[in-house]
Amino acid sequence: MAISLAAAVPRMVATSSPSSSFANSKLANFSYLQLPTQLQISGIGNHCLKSKHRPRTLTLVASKKQTFSSFDELLEKSDKPVLVDFYATWCGPCQFMVPILEQVSAKMIDKIQVVKIDTEKYPSIANNYSIEALPTFILFKDGKPFDRFEGAMAADQLIQRIEASLQDKQ
C-alpha cells in the first residue's frame, strides 16, 4: 500500500463554473494526501474563497509528491513535528477548530506539519491512539507521540501549547 503526500504550494485561480459539493464544504480548505481507501489524511494550509453571485476563486495546488506505505511511515519520515487533529464531522468543537487550525498552520508552517484524521472514516487509527474525546490533538516527533491534549481552544492558546511542548521535549 503506497501513500502519496503532496507538499502544497497554493496558487489562486478564478473560475466561473460552479464547483462540486465537496468544494463547498468546510473541508475544501484543506489539501489532501492521496491515500488508499482505508486511510486518508488531510493537511491544512490552502484557502478557497467563495461567493454565490460572483465567479469563484479556487486554489490550485502545485505539489511535490512523497510516497509512504503507512500512517506510521508518514510520521517517522516527516522532517518536522506533526500535529494530528483527530476529529469527526458531527463534532461541534471540531468544526470550531477548522479556522483555528488554519491559523496555527499558517503561523507555524516552518515548525510543524498539521494533519487531520476523521475518526469516523479511520477508526483503527483512532483506536491505536486511544482517542476517546474530540477533538484530540497529538503532537508526534520522530514518529512517536510526545504530547497530547483534548478540547477546543483559541489559536493563541494552541500555539503556546505547541511551542511549550516543542521546547520542553527538545
Side-chain angles (χ1 to χ4, degrees):
M1 151 174 56
I3 300 171
S4 296
L5 166 64
V9 180
R11 276 188 303 139
M12 300 305 284
V13 175
T15 179
S16 58
S17 63
S19 59
S20 70
S21 62
F22 171 77
N24 291 327
S25 74
K26 287 185 179 182
L27 295 178
N29 292 336
F30 304 120
S31 62
Y32 285 85
L33 304 178
Q34 298 171 359
L35 305 176
T37 55
Q38 289 122 351
L39 177 66
Q40 185 172 352
I41 308 161
S42 58
I44 296 182
N46 297 332
H47 302 284
C48 179
L49 304 174
K50 297 182 241 175
S51 171
K52 292 182 180 180
H53 303 292
R54 289 176 270 162
R56 296 182 185 268
T57 302
L58 303 175
T59 302
L60 290 182
V61 178
S63 63
K64 174 184 170 187
K65 288 188 178 181
Q66 299 172 335
T67 301
F68 301 94
S69 62
S70 69
F71 175 68
D72 292 331
E73 185 181 351
L74 167 85
L75 295 173
E76 289 170 7
K77 297 225 173 159
S78 178
D79 57 345
K80 49 190 167 183
V82 178
L83 176 67
V84 179
D85 171 23
F86 290 91
Y87 76 101
T89 56
W90 51 262
C91 168
C94 299
Q95 298 308 311
F96 171 79
M97 291 302 295
V98 170
I100 291 170
L101 285 169
E102 288 177 352
Q103 292 174 14
V104 170
S105 179
K107 287 183 182 178
M108 301 189 77
I109 196 164
D110 294 333
K111 295 181 182 179
I112 64 168
Q113 176 181 357
V114 178
V115 173
K116 294 180 66 67
I117 296 182
D118 184 337
T119 58
E120 295 288 304
K121 289 184 181 178
Y122 309 105
S124 62
I125 296 173
N127 289 337
N128 287 346
Y129 296 101
S130 302
I131 304 303
E132 296 178 2
L134 297 176
T136 294
F137 303 94
I138 300 180
L139 198 53
F140 290 85
K141 189 170 184 179
D142 299 322
K144 298 186 180 4
F146 72 95
D147 196 8
R148 176 188 184 113
F149 38 99
E150 298 172 349
M153 60 186 77
D156 291 340
Q157 289 176 310
L158 184 57
I159 290 170
Q160 287 174 351
R161 175 71 186 249
I162 293 167
E163 287 177 338
S165 181
L166 291 175
Q167 289 174 358
D168 290 344
K169 309 286 179 163
Q170 288 182 356

